[in-house]
Amino acid sequence: MTSTRELAGLVTLILSIVTILMLFDMKNSDVGAVTSVEKKMLIMAAVTAIFLGVTI
């Protein structure tokens, strides 16, 4: 995909890296923090899917 649609590949990579960084920053002992990060990750997945749907 990145060879034909550079913008879509680049934005997808950036959003994926941000999501992974949120995962490593999460405090596993706090249930509320885990739930909050899960919600943010779901929003990031939806944003990525919408962006890919628009650009591809």
Side-chain angles (χ1 to χ4, degrees), residues 6-19:
E6 295 85 12
L7 178 65
L10 182 65
V11 172
T12 302
L13 179 66
I14 291 170
L15 291 174
S16 298
I17 290 171
V18 168
T19 304

Side-chain angles (χ1 to χ4, degrees), residues 32-54:
V34 172
T35 303
S36 175
V37 171
E38 283 180 337
K39 288 178 184 179
K40 290 176 187 174
M41 290 172 70
L42 284 172
I43 291 170
M44 292 295 285
V47 168
T48 303
I50 290 169
F51 179 77
L52 286 175
V54 169

Side-chain angles (χ1 to χ4, degrees), residues 16-33:
S16 298
I17 290 171
V18 168
T19 304
I20 291 170
L21 290 175
M22 286 190 319
L23 179 67
F24 286 121
D25 191 42
M26 178 177 58
K27 295 179 182 174
N28 293 335
S29 60
D30 185 12
V31 177

